[in-house]
Amino acid sequence: GIFADNTAAGQDLRITANDSIDADGIGIYALSDGQGELNIHTLGTVTTGSSGIVASHVGAGAATITADKAITASGPNGIEFSSTASTSTAVITANEDVTASTRGIYAMHSGTGLLTVESKGKAVGTAWDGIRADGANGVVINAVDTEGGNYGIVSWGAGNGGVDVTSTGLAEGTNGIDVRTNNESTHLNVTAKDVTGSQHGIVTIQHSDLGTPNNDAKIDVSGVIQGGSGYAIWTESDPGVMTRIN
């Protein structure tokens, strides 16, 4: 695999893997402490005995992770990303399938900018989540197919921003899609095609306080939503906050 630790002040950390990676441990492990940007790009497949890509970004610059081919991780996470409050935006793009034992894609962004996750194949987290993404200043998740032992897609924190989830394929899990906001969050939007949950299909809980600008919640459905022991769609919001289901 590849290990990179950047502590040079003001310098970017850039990793490009031109060929496939086959590692017993982590495929790419990147620590960006230099206050610059973080950029990771894999052009070939990533197959690992542990997590596929693990990146921690302390820098003030933007973070970008792009996987052009499939990631197959026997360990916890296919793509794992974390950042501190100094980071600006973060964009994670998986152009093919991402599969791991715990979470397919796992992103925890504490930075000042938006967190965006683009999953164009199938994201699978066998034990927990297909995609888990939380951000301090808004979250956007665009996915095709997702599957998790707990959730297909889950976001439980958008900070001061809003959360937008679009699922154009099938989301599967105990809850297929589960989105919850904070008191200070703005909007909550879920657009879904097919969703299947052994408990609930879609769950939205809009905790945004009454009077917060642009804090309506909206669920748009174009396919079949199925729940099991619970409901197809379960939604909650704080008093006076509107939720629309189309």
PDB file of all heavy atoms in Angstrom, residues 2 15 17 21 25-30 38 40-42 44 46 48 50-56 64-73 77-82 92-93 98 104-106:
ATOM      1  N   ILE A   2       0.213   2.385   0.247  1.00  0.00           N
ATOM      2  CA  ILE A   2       0.875   3.690   0.240  1.00  0.00           C
ATOM      3  C   ILE A   2       0.611   4.379   1.571  1.00  0.00           C
ATOM      4  O   ILE A   2      -0.540   4.464   2.009  1.00  0.00           O
ATOM      5  CB  ILE A   2       0.352   4.574  -0.915  1.00  0.00           C
ATOM      6  CG1 ILE A   2       0.650   3.933  -2.272  1.00  0.00           C
ATOM      7  CG2 ILE A   2       0.945   5.976  -0.841  1.00  0.00           C
ATOM      8  CD1 ILE A   2      -0.039   4.641  -3.439  1.00  0.00           C
ATOM      9  N   ILE A  15      -1.599  12.536  -3.819  1.00  0.00           N
ATOM     10  CA  ILE A  15      -1.273  11.128  -4.081  1.00  0.00           C
ATOM     11  C   ILE A  15      -2.053  10.684  -5.308  1.00  0.00           C
ATOM     12  O   ILE A  15      -3.287  10.830  -5.358  1.00  0.00           O
ATOM     13  CB  ILE A  15      -1.657  10.228  -2.891  1.00  0.00           C
ATOM     14  CG1 ILE A  15      -0.899  10.647  -1.630  1.00  0.00           C
ATOM     15  CG2 ILE A  15      -1.396   8.765  -3.221  1.00  0.00           C
ATOM     16  CD1 ILE A  15      -1.413   9.956  -0.376  1.00  0.00           C
ATOM     17  N   ALA A  17      -2.378   7.180  -7.608  1.00  0.00           N
ATOM     18  CA  ALA A  17      -2.020   5.780  -7.827  1.00  0.00           C
ATOM     19  C   ALA A  17      -2.437   5.410  -9.246  1.00  0.00           C
ATOM     20  O   ALA A  17      -3.633   5.291  -9.553  1.00  0.00           O
ATOM     21  CB  ALA A  17      -2.716   4.889  -6.813  1.00  0.00           C
ATOM     22  N   ILE A  21      -3.934  -1.283  -6.642  1.00  0.00           N
ATOM     23  CA  ILE A  21      -3.310  -1.477  -5.335  1.00  0.00           C
ATOM     24  C   ILE A  21      -3.868  -2.758  -4.733  1.00  0.00           C
ATOM     25  O   ILE A  21      -5.084  -2.944  -4.660  1.00  0.00           O
ATOM     26  CB  ILE A  21      -3.593  -0.288  -4.395  1.00  0.00           C
ATOM     27  CG1 ILE A  21      -2.941   0.980  -4.921  1.00  0.00           C
ATOM     28  CG2 ILE A  21      -3.128  -0.595  -2.979  1.00  0.00           C
ATOM     29  CD1 ILE A  21      -3.314   2.221  -4.133  1.00  0.00           C
ATOM     30  N   GLY A  25      -2.754  -4.731   4.261  1.00  0.00           N
ATOM     31  CA  GLY A  25      -3.292  -3.777   5.224  1.00  0.00           C
ATOM     32  C   GLY A  25      -4.125  -2.721   4.531  1.00  0.00           C
ATOM     33  O   GLY A  25      -4.966  -3.018   3.684  1.00  0.00           O
ATOM     34  N   ILE A  26      -3.895  -1.441   4.870  1.00  0.00           N
ATOM     35  CA  ILE A  26      -4.616  -0.329   4.256  1.00  0.00           C
ATOM     36  C   ILE A  26      -4.032  -0.040   2.878  1.00  0.00           C
ATOM     37  O   ILE A  26      -2.819  -0.028   2.689  1.00  0.00           O
ATOM     38  CB  ILE A  26      -4.520   0.921   5.156  1.00  0.00           C
ATOM     39  CG1 ILE A  26      -5.191   0.653   6.510  1.00  0.00           C
ATOM     40  CG2 ILE A  26      -5.133   2.135   4.484  1.00  0.00           C
ATOM     41  CD1 ILE A  26      -4.966   1.742   7.533  1.00  0.00           C
ATOM     42  N   GLY A  27      -4.906   0.253   1.922  1.00  0.00           N
ATOM     43  CA  GLY A  27      -4.433   0.532   0.565  1.00  0.00           C
ATOM     44  C   GLY A  27      -3.692   1.851   0.479  1.00  0.00           C
ATOM     45  O   GLY A  27      -2.545   1.905   0.023  1.00  0.00           O
ATOM     46  N   ILE A  28      -4.324   2.943   0.915  1.00  0.00           N
ATOM     47  CA  ILE A  28      -3.696   4.265   0.996  1.00  0.00           C
ATOM     48  C   ILE A  28      -4.026   4.852   2.353  1.00  0.00           C
ATOM     49  O   ILE A  28      -5.196   4.943   2.742  1.00  0.00           O
ATOM     50  CB  ILE A  28      -4.200   5.219  -0.106  1.00  0.00           C
ATOM     51  CG1 ILE A  28      -3.785   4.706  -1.490  1.00  0.00           C
ATOM     52  CG2 ILE A  28      -3.652   6.630   0.114  1.00  0.00           C
ATOM     53  CD1 ILE A  28      -4.303   5.566  -2.630  1.00  0.00           C
ATOM     54  N   TYR A  29      -2.976   5.277   3.068  1.00  0.00           N
ATOM     55  CA  TYR A  29      -3.137   5.898   4.385  1.00  0.00           C
ATOM     56  C   TYR A  29      -2.466   7.265   4.315  1.00  0.00           C
ATOM     57  O   TYR A  29      -1.256   7.368   4.203  1.00  0.00           O
ATOM     58  CB  TYR A  29      -2.502   5.018   5.455  1.00  0.00           C
ATOM     59  CG  TYR A  29      -2.783   5.424   6.880  1.00  0.00           C
ATOM     60  CD1 TYR A  29      -3.745   6.373   7.194  1.00  0.00           C
ATOM     61  CD2 TYR A  29      -2.082   4.833   7.925  1.00  0.00           C
ATOM     62  CE1 TYR A  29      -4.010   6.729   8.498  1.00  0.00           C
ATOM     63  CE2 TYR A  29      -2.343   5.171   9.255  1.00  0.00           C
ATOM     64  CZ  TYR A  29      -3.308   6.119   9.526  1.00  0.00           C
ATOM     65  OH  TYR A  29      -3.574   6.467  10.827  1.00  0.00           O
ATOM     66  N   ALA A  30      -3.279   8.337   4.355  1.00  0.00           N
ATOM     67  CA  ALA A  30      -2.765   9.683   4.162  1.00  0.00           C
ATOM     68  C   ALA A  30      -3.067  10.555   5.371  1.00  0.00           C
ATOM     69  O   ALA A  30      -4.224  10.659   5.809  1.00  0.00           O
ATOM     70  CB  ALA A  30      -3.383  10.303   2.916  1.00  0.00           C
ATOM     71  N   LEU A  38      -5.460  18.534   0.300  1.00  0.00           N
ATOM     72  CA  LEU A  38      -5.294  17.079   0.225  1.00  0.00           C
ATOM     73  C   LEU A  38      -5.976  16.585  -1.032  1.00  0.00           C
ATOM     74  O   LEU A  38      -7.153  16.901  -1.270  1.00  0.00           O
ATOM     75  CB  LEU A  38      -5.908  16.405   1.446  1.00  0.00           C
ATOM     76  CG  LEU A  38      -6.025  14.868   1.386  1.00  0.00           C
ATOM     77  CD1 LEU A  38      -4.643  14.223   1.365  1.00  0.00           C
ATOM     78  CD2 LEU A  38      -6.853  14.340   2.540  1.00  0.00           C
ATOM     79  N   ILE A  40      -6.281  12.918  -3.292  1.00  0.00           N
ATOM     80  CA  ILE A  40      -5.982  11.498  -3.506  1.00  0.00           C
ATOM     81  C   ILE A  40      -6.769  11.032  -4.717  1.00  0.00           C
ATOM     82  O   ILE A  40      -7.988  11.272  -4.819  1.00  0.00           O
ATOM     83  CB  ILE A  40      -6.375  10.649  -2.286  1.00  0.00           C
ATOM     84  CG1 ILE A  40      -5.585  11.083  -1.050  1.00  0.00           C
ATOM     85  CG2 ILE A  40      -6.154   9.161  -2.567  1.00  0.00           C
ATOM     86  CD1 ILE A  40      -6.060  10.433   0.242  1.00  0.00           C
ATOM     87  N   HIS A  41      -6.090  10.347  -5.655  1.00  0.00           N
ATOM     88  CA  HIS A  41      -6.731   9.869  -6.871  1.00  0.00           C
ATOM     89  C   HIS A  41      -6.216   8.472  -7.185  1.00  0.00           C
ATOM     90  O   HIS A  41      -5.011   8.282  -7.385  1.00  0.00           O
ATOM     91  CB  HIS A  41      -6.426  10.818  -8.036  1.00  0.00           C
ATOM     92  CG  HIS A  41      -7.231  10.540  -9.265  1.00  0.00           C
ATOM     93  ND1 HIS A  41      -7.072  11.251 -10.426  1.00  0.00           N
ATOM     94  CD2 HIS A  41      -8.214   9.624  -9.515  1.00  0.00           C
ATOM     95  CE1 HIS A  41      -7.912  10.803 -11.341  1.00  0.00           C
ATOM     96  NE2 HIS A  41      -8.604   9.803 -10.819  1.00  0.00           N
ATOM     97  N   THR A  42      -7.116   7.502  -7.216  1.00  0.00           N
ATOM     98  CA  THR A  42      -6.738   6.139  -7.602  1.00  0.00           C
ATOM     99  C   THR A  42      -7.330   5.848  -8.968  1.00  0.00           C
ATOM    100  O   THR A  42      -8.539   5.965  -9.184  1.00  0.00           O
ATOM    101  CB  THR A  42      -7.236   5.100  -6.586  1.00  0.00           C
ATOM    102  OG1 THR A  42      -8.662   5.166  -6.464  1.00  0.00           O
ATOM    103  CG2 THR A  42      -6.608   5.352  -5.216  1.00  0.00           C
ATOM    104  N   GLY A  44      -6.667   2.829 -10.612  1.00  0.00           N
ATOM    105  CA  GLY A  44      -6.921   1.396 -10.717  1.00  0.00           C
ATOM    106  C   GLY A  44      -7.740   0.894  -9.547  1.00  0.00           C
ATOM    107  O   GLY A  44      -8.169   1.662  -8.677  1.00  0.00           O
ATOM    108  N   VAL A  46      -8.614  -1.010  -6.008  1.00  0.00           N
ATOM    109  CA  VAL A  46      -7.978  -1.079  -4.692  1.00  0.00           C
ATOM    110  C   VAL A  46      -8.564  -2.287  -3.960  1.00  0.00           C
ATOM    111  O   VAL A  46      -9.768  -2.347  -3.715  1.00  0.00           O
ATOM    112  CB  VAL A  46      -8.226   0.206  -3.882  1.00  0.00           C
ATOM    113  CG1 VAL A  46      -7.588   0.087  -2.503  1.00  0.00           C
ATOM    114  CG2 VAL A  46      -7.683   1.426  -4.616  1.00  0.00           C
ATOM    115  N   THR A  48      -7.870  -4.700  -0.520  1.00  0.00           N
ATOM    116  CA  THR A  48      -7.093  -4.653   0.718  1.00  0.00           C
ATOM    117  C   THR A  48      -7.604  -5.639   1.762  1.00  0.00           C
ATOM    118  O   THR A  48      -8.760  -6.053   1.748  1.00  0.00           O
ATOM    119  CB  THR A  48      -7.151  -3.243   1.335  1.00  0.00           C
ATOM    120  OG1 THR A  48      -8.481  -2.972   1.771  1.00  0.00           O
ATOM    121  CG2 THR A  48      -6.718  -2.185   0.333  1.00  0.00           C
ATOM    122  N   SER A  50      -7.403  -4.618   4.926  1.00  0.00           N
ATOM    123  CA  SER A  50      -7.966  -3.692   5.909  1.00  0.00           C
ATOM    124  C   SER A  50      -8.814  -2.666   5.147  1.00  0.00           C
ATOM    125  O   SER A  50      -9.492  -3.026   4.195  1.00  0.00           O
ATOM    126  CB  SER A  50      -6.847  -3.019   6.705  1.00  0.00           C
ATOM    127  OG  SER A  50      -7.372  -2.195   7.720  1.00  0.00           O
ATOM    128  N   SER A  51      -8.816  -1.402   5.558  1.00  0.00           N
ATOM    129  CA  SER A  51      -9.574  -0.381   4.840  1.00  0.00           C
ATOM    130  C   SER A  51      -8.916  -0.052   3.502  1.00  0.00           C
ATOM    131  O   SER A  51      -7.711  -0.250   3.318  1.00  0.00           O
ATOM    132  CB  SER A  51      -9.680   0.886   5.689  1.00  0.00           C
ATOM    133  OG  SER A  51     -10.487   0.660   6.835  1.00  0.00           O
ATOM    134  N   GLY A  52      -9.717   0.476   2.579  1.00  0.00           N
ATOM    135  CA  GLY A  52      -9.192   0.790   1.257  1.00  0.00           C
ATOM    136  C   GLY A  52      -8.390   2.076   1.249  1.00  0.00           C
ATOM    137  O   GLY A  52      -7.188   2.075   1.010  1.00  0.00           O
ATOM    138  N   ILE A  53      -9.055   3.200   1.504  1.00  0.00           N
ATOM    139  CA  ILE A  53      -8.414   4.518   1.579  1.00  0.00           C
ATOM    140  C   ILE A  53      -8.773   5.139   2.914  1.00  0.00           C
ATOM    141  O   ILE A  53      -9.956   5.235   3.268  1.00  0.00           O
ATOM    142  CB  ILE A  53      -8.874   5.451   0.443  1.00  0.00           C
ATOM    143  CG1 ILE A  53      -8.501   4.873  -0.928  1.00  0.00           C
ATOM    144  CG2 ILE A  53      -8.278   6.847   0.607  1.00  0.00           C
ATOM    145  CD1 ILE A  53      -9.104   5.639  -2.097  1.00  0.00           C
ATOM    146  N   VAL A  54      -7.757   5.562   3.671  1.00  0.00           N
ATOM    147  CA  VAL A  54      -7.967   6.253   4.945  1.00  0.00           C
ATOM    148  C   VAL A  54      -7.248   7.588   4.856  1.00  0.00           C
ATOM    149  O   VAL A  54      -6.046   7.640   4.608  1.00  0.00           O
ATOM    150  CB  VAL A  54      -7.441   5.436   6.140  1.00  0.00           C
ATOM    151  CG1 VAL A  54      -7.613   6.224   7.436  1.00  0.00           C
ATOM    152  CG2 VAL A  54      -8.158   4.089   6.230  1.00  0.00           C
ATOM    153  N   ALA A  55      -7.981   8.690   5.072  1.00  0.00           N
ATOM    154  CA  ALA A  55      -7.379  10.024   4.951  1.00  0.00           C
ATOM    155  C   ALA A  55      -7.828  10.895   6.107  1.00  0.00           C
ATOM    156  O   ALA A  55      -9.024  11.002   6.399  1.00  0.00           O
ATOM    157  CB  ALA A  55      -7.772  10.662   3.631  1.00  0.00           C
ATOM    158  N   SER A  56      -6.850  11.543   6.751  1.00  0.00           N
ATOM    159  CA  SER A  56      -7.109  12.506   7.821  1.00  0.00           C
ATOM    160  C   SER A  56      -6.518  13.848   7.400  1.00  0.00           C
ATOM    161  O   SER A  56      -5.339  13.934   7.089  1.00  0.00           O
ATOM    162  CB  SER A  56      -6.479  12.032   9.132  1.00  0.00           C
ATOM    163  OG  SER A  56      -6.621  13.008  10.142  1.00  0.00           O
ATOM    164  N   THR A  64      -9.949  16.389  -1.551  1.00  0.00           N
ATOM    165  CA  THR A  64     -10.584  15.692  -2.669  1.00  0.00           C
ATOM    166  C   THR A  64     -10.077  14.261  -2.708  1.00  0.00           C
ATOM    167  O   THR A  64      -8.872  14.020  -2.722  1.00  0.00           O
ATOM    168  CB  THR A  64     -10.261  16.376  -4.008  1.00  0.00           C
ATOM    169  OG1 THR A  64     -10.637  17.749  -3.950  1.00  0.00           O
ATOM    170  CG2 THR A  64     -11.007  15.702  -5.150  1.00  0.00           C
ATOM    171  N   ILE A  65     -11.008  13.316  -2.720  1.00  0.00           N
ATOM    172  CA  ILE A  65     -10.677  11.901  -2.867  1.00  0.00           C
ATOM    173  C   ILE A  65     -11.485  11.360  -4.033  1.00  0.00           C
ATOM    174  O   ILE A  65     -12.719  11.461  -4.038  1.00  0.00           O
ATOM    175  CB  ILE A  65     -10.985  11.095  -1.595  1.00  0.00           C
ATOM    176  CG1 ILE A  65     -10.186  11.626  -0.408  1.00  0.00           C
ATOM    177  CG2 ILE A  65     -10.696   9.611  -1.816  1.00  0.00           C
ATOM    178  CD1 ILE A  65     -10.575  10.987   0.920  1.00  0.00           C
ATOM    179  N   THR A  66     -10.791  10.789  -5.027  1.00  0.00           N
ATOM    180  CA  THR A  66     -11.462  10.245  -6.210  1.00  0.00           C
ATOM    181  C   THR A  66     -10.961   8.829  -6.467  1.00  0.00           C
ATOM    182  O   THR A  66      -9.749   8.613  -6.589  1.00  0.00           O
ATOM    183  CB  THR A  66     -11.193  11.106  -7.452  1.00  0.00           C
ATOM    184  OG1 THR A  66     -11.585  12.454  -7.188  1.00  0.00           O
ATOM    185  CG2 THR A  66     -11.969  10.585  -8.647  1.00  0.00           C
ATOM    186  N   ALA A  67     -11.885   7.890  -6.538  1.00  0.00           N
ATOM    187  CA  ALA A  67     -11.556   6.501  -6.870  1.00  0.00           C
ATOM    188  C   ALA A  67     -12.213   6.169  -8.200  1.00  0.00           C
ATOM    189  O   ALA A  67     -13.449   6.116  -8.292  1.00  0.00           O
ATOM    190  CB  ALA A  67     -12.032   5.560  -5.776  1.00  0.00           C
ATOM    191  N   ASP A  68     -11.396   5.954  -9.228  1.00  0.00           N
ATOM    192  CA  ASP A  68     -11.942   5.688 -10.557  1.00  0.00           C
ATOM    193  C   ASP A  68     -12.458   4.270 -10.713  1.00  0.00           C
ATOM    194  O   ASP A  68     -13.400   4.027 -11.474  1.00  0.00           O
ATOM    195  CB  ASP A  68     -10.873   5.951 -11.619  1.00  0.00           C
ATOM    196  CG  ASP A  68     -10.660   7.430 -11.875  1.00  0.00           C
ATOM    197  OD1 ASP A  68     -11.451   8.244 -11.365  1.00  0.00           O
ATOM    198  OD2 ASP A  68      -9.689   7.769 -12.591  1.00  0.00           O
ATOM    199  N   LYS A  69     -11.839   3.322 -10.007  1.00  0.00           N
ATOM    200  CA  LYS A  69     -12.220   1.917 -10.129  1.00  0.00           C
ATOM    201  C   LYS A  69     -12.693   1.384  -8.774  1.00  0.00           C
ATOM    202  O   LYS A  69     -12.692   2.082  -7.777  1.00  0.00           O
ATOM    203  CB  LYS A  69     -11.039   1.096 -10.653  1.00  0.00           C
ATOM    204  CG  LYS A  69     -10.536   1.506 -12.025  1.00  0.00           C
ATOM    205  CD  LYS A  69     -11.593   1.292 -13.105  1.00  0.00           C
ATOM    206  CE  LYS A  69     -11.064   1.631 -14.487  1.00  0.00           C
ATOM    207  NZ  LYS A  69     -12.089   1.454 -15.543  1.00  0.00           N
ATOM    208  N   ALA A  70     -13.086   0.144  -8.767  1.00  0.00           N
ATOM    209  CA  ALA A  70     -13.712  -0.461  -7.587  1.00  0.00           C
ATOM    210  C   ALA A  70     -12.747  -0.556  -6.406  1.00  0.00           C
ATOM    211  O   ALA A  70     -11.541  -0.759  -6.583  1.00  0.00           O
ATOM    212  CB  ALA A  70     -14.248  -1.848  -7.930  1.00  0.00           C
ATOM    213  N   ILE A  71     -13.309  -0.406  -5.214  1.00  0.00           N
ATOM    214  CA  ILE A  71     -12.576  -0.627  -3.968  1.00  0.00           C
ATOM    215  C   ILE A  71     -13.221  -1.802  -3.249  1.00  0.00           C
ATOM    216  O   ILE A  71     -14.429  -1.791  -2.980  1.00  0.00           O
ATOM    217  CB  ILE A  71     -12.602   0.617  -3.072  1.00  0.00           C
ATOM    218  CG1 ILE A  71     -11.875   1.784  -3.749  1.00  0.00           C
ATOM    219  CG2 ILE A  71     -11.976   0.321  -1.714  1.00  0.00           C
ATOM    220  CD1 ILE A  71     -11.947   3.079  -2.967  1.00  0.00           C
ATOM    221  N   THR A  72     -12.399  -2.808  -2.933  1.00  0.00           N
ATOM    222  CA  THR A  72     -12.879  -3.982  -2.203  1.00  0.00           C
ATOM    223  C   THR A  72     -12.014  -4.147  -0.973  1.00  0.00           C
ATOM    224  O   THR A  72     -10.824  -4.496  -1.065  1.00  0.00           O
ATOM    225  CB  THR A  72     -12.802  -5.248  -3.072  1.00  0.00           C
ATOM    226  OG1 THR A  72     -13.526  -5.034  -4.293  1.00  0.00           O
ATOM    227  CG2 THR A  72     -13.402  -6.433  -2.326  1.00  0.00           C
ATOM    228  N   ALA A  73     -12.577  -3.844   0.199  1.00  0.00           N
ATOM    229  CA  ALA A  73     -11.821  -3.856   1.449  1.00  0.00           C
ATOM    230  C   ALA A  73     -12.372  -4.929   2.375  1.00  0.00           C
ATOM    231  O   ALA A  73     -13.569  -4.934   2.691  1.00  0.00           O
ATOM    232  CB  ALA A  73     -11.906  -2.489   2.125  1.00  0.00           C
ATOM    233  N   ASN A  77     -13.497   0.015   6.398  1.00  0.00           N
ATOM    234  CA  ASN A  77     -14.109   1.009   5.515  1.00  0.00           C
ATOM    235  C   ASN A  77     -13.475   1.011   4.129  1.00  0.00           C
ATOM    236  O   ASN A  77     -12.253   0.924   3.998  1.00  0.00           O
ATOM    237  CB  ASN A  77     -13.970   2.405   6.134  1.00  0.00           C
ATOM    238  CG  ASN A  77     -14.590   2.487   7.517  1.00  0.00           C
ATOM    239  OD1 ASN A  77     -15.748   2.128   7.712  1.00  0.00           O
ATOM    240  ND2 ASN A  77     -13.815   2.949   8.496  1.00  0.00           N
ATOM    241  N   GLY A  78     -14.330   1.158   3.117  1.00  0.00           N
ATOM    242  CA  GLY A  78     -13.800   1.281   1.762  1.00  0.00           C
ATOM    243  C   GLY A  78     -13.073   2.595   1.581  1.00  0.00           C
ATOM    244  O   GLY A  78     -11.925   2.641   1.163  1.00  0.00           O
ATOM    245  N   ILE A  79     -13.754   3.703   1.900  1.00  0.00           N
ATOM    246  CA  ILE A  79     -13.149   5.039   1.938  1.00  0.00           C
ATOM    247  C   ILE A  79     -13.496   5.653   3.283  1.00  0.00           C
ATOM    248  O   ILE A  79     -14.672   5.717   3.658  1.00  0.00           O
ATOM    249  CB  ILE A  79     -13.669   5.947   0.805  1.00  0.00           C
ATOM    250  CG1 ILE A  79     -13.322   5.364  -0.572  1.00  0.00           C
ATOM    251  CG2 ILE A  79     -13.080   7.358   0.939  1.00  0.00           C
ATOM    252  CD1 ILE A  79     -13.934   6.142  -1.733  1.00  0.00           C
ATOM    253  N   GLU A  80     -12.468   6.095   4.006  1.00  0.00           N
ATOM    254  CA  GLU A  80     -12.661   6.728   5.316  1.00  0.00           C
ATOM    255  C   GLU A  80     -11.982   8.091   5.307  1.00  0.00           C
ATOM    256  O   GLU A  80     -10.799   8.203   5.000  1.00  0.00           O
ATOM    257  CB  GLU A  80     -12.066   5.859   6.415  1.00  0.00           C
ATOM    258  CG  GLU A  80     -12.141   6.475   7.803  1.00  0.00           C
ATOM    259  CD  GLU A  80     -11.475   5.613   8.859  1.00  0.00           C
ATOM    260  OE1 GLU A  80     -11.381   4.381   8.657  1.00  0.00           O
ATOM    261  OE2 GLU A  80     -11.032   6.163   9.886  1.00  0.00           O
ATOM    262  N   PHE A  81     -12.746   9.135   5.651  1.00  0.00           N
ATOM    263  CA  PHE A  81     -12.214  10.495   5.649  1.00  0.00           C
ATOM    264  C   PHE A  81     -12.630  11.226   6.912  1.00  0.00           C
ATOM    265  O   PHE A  81     -13.775  11.136   7.354  1.00  0.00           O
ATOM    266  CB  PHE A  81     -12.733  11.276   4.431  1.00  0.00           C
ATOM    267  CG  PHE A  81     -12.401  12.742   4.474  1.00  0.00           C
ATOM    268  CD1 PHE A  81     -11.130  13.184   4.171  1.00  0.00           C
ATOM    269  CD2 PHE A  81     -13.365  13.677   4.837  1.00  0.00           C
ATOM    270  CE1 PHE A  81     -10.814  14.539   4.228  1.00  0.00           C
ATOM    271  CE2 PHE A  81     -13.064  15.020   4.895  1.00  0.00           C
ATOM    272  CZ  PHE A  81     -11.781  15.459   4.585  1.00  0.00           C
ATOM    273  N   SER A  82     -11.686  11.976   7.479  1.00  0.00           N
ATOM    274  CA  SER A  82     -11.996  12.837   8.616  1.00  0.00           C
ATOM    275  C   SER A  82     -11.220  14.140   8.462  1.00  0.00           C
ATOM    276  O   SER A  82     -10.161  14.183   7.833  1.00  0.00           O
ATOM    277  CB  SER A  82     -11.637  12.167   9.942  1.00  0.00           C
ATOM    278  OG  SER A  82     -10.254  11.886  10.014  1.00  0.00           O
ATOM    279  N   ILE A  92     -15.757  13.662  -2.021  1.00  0.00           N
ATOM    280  CA  ILE A  92     -15.385  12.257  -2.162  1.00  0.00           C
ATOM    281  C   ILE A  92     -16.185  11.675  -3.314  1.00  0.00           C
ATOM    282  O   ILE A  92     -17.422  11.742  -3.315  1.00  0.00           O
ATOM    283  CB  ILE A  92     -15.671  11.475  -0.866  1.00  0.00           C
ATOM    284  CG1 ILE A  92     -14.834  12.040   0.286  1.00  0.00           C
ATOM    285  CG2 ILE A  92     -15.383   9.988  -1.064  1.00  0.00           C
ATOM    286  CD1 ILE A  92     -15.232  11.496   1.639  1.00  0.00           C
ATOM    287  N   THR A  93     -15.469  11.102  -4.293  1.00  0.00           N
ATOM    288  CA  THR A  93     -16.124  10.550  -5.473  1.00  0.00           C
ATOM    289  C   THR A  93     -15.669   9.117  -5.685  1.00  0.00           C
ATOM    290  O   THR A  93     -14.464   8.854  -5.797  1.00  0.00           O
ATOM    291  CB  THR A  93     -15.790  11.379  -6.728  1.00  0.00           C
ATOM    292  OG1 THR A  93     -16.163  12.745  -6.509  1.00  0.00           O
ATOM    293  CG2 THR A  93     -16.531  10.845  -7.939  1.00  0.00           C
ATOM    294  N   VAL A  98     -17.888   0.314  -4.122  1.00  0.00           N
ATOM    295  CA  VAL A  98     -17.053   0.360  -2.922  1.00  0.00           C
ATOM    296  C   VAL A  98     -17.667  -0.595  -1.905  1.00  0.00           C
ATOM    297  O   VAL A  98     -18.827  -0.432  -1.510  1.00  0.00           O
ATOM    298  CB  VAL A  98     -16.985   1.775  -2.318  1.00  0.00           C
ATOM    299  CG1 VAL A  98     -16.118   1.772  -1.066  1.00  0.00           C
ATOM    300  CG2 VAL A  98     -16.432   2.767  -3.336  1.00  0.00           C
ATOM    301  N   GLY A 104     -19.099   1.260   3.546  1.00  0.00           N
ATOM    302  CA  GLY A 104     -18.542   1.470   2.215  1.00  0.00           C
ATOM    303  C   GLY A 104     -17.796   2.788   2.145  1.00  0.00           C
ATOM    304  O   GLY A 104     -16.604   2.835   1.859  1.00  0.00           O
ATOM    305  N   ILE A 105     -18.521   3.886   2.417  1.00  0.00           N
ATOM    306  CA  ILE A 105     -17.928   5.225   2.454  1.00  0.00           C
ATOM    307  C   ILE A 105     -18.285   5.849   3.793  1.00  0.00           C
ATOM    308  O   ILE A 105     -19.455   5.905   4.178  1.00  0.00           O
ATOM    309  CB  ILE A 105     -18.447   6.105   1.305  1.00  0.00           C
ATOM    310  CG1 ILE A 105     -18.079   5.488  -0.054  1.00  0.00           C
ATOM    311  CG2 ILE A 105     -17.880   7.525   1.410  1.00  0.00           C
ATOM    312  CD1 ILE A 105     -18.700   6.207  -1.246  1.00  0.00           C
ATOM    313  N   TYR A 106     -17.247   6.362   4.485  1.00  0.00           N
ATOM    314  CA  TYR A 106     -17.429   6.925   5.828  1.00  0.00           C
ATOM    315  C   TYR A 106     -16.717   8.268   5.864  1.00  0.00           C
ATOM    316  O   TYR A 106     -15.492   8.335   5.760  1.00  0.00           O
ATOM    317  CB  TYR A 106     -16.837   5.970   6.861  1.00  0.00           C
ATOM    318  CG  TYR A 106     -16.944   6.420   8.299  1.00  0.00           C
ATOM    319  CD1 TYR A 106     -18.056   7.093   8.768  1.00  0.00           C
ATOM    320  CD2 TYR A 106     -15.913   6.133   9.201  1.00  0.00           C
ATOM    321  CE1 TYR A 106     -18.157   7.475  10.093  1.00  0.00           C
ATOM    322  CE2 TYR A 106     -16.007   6.506  10.533  1.00  0.00           C
ATOM    323  CZ  TYR A 106     -17.119   7.173  10.975  1.00  0.00           C
ATOM    324  OH  TYR A 106     -17.217   7.560  12.288  1.00  0.00           O
TER     325      TYR A 106
END
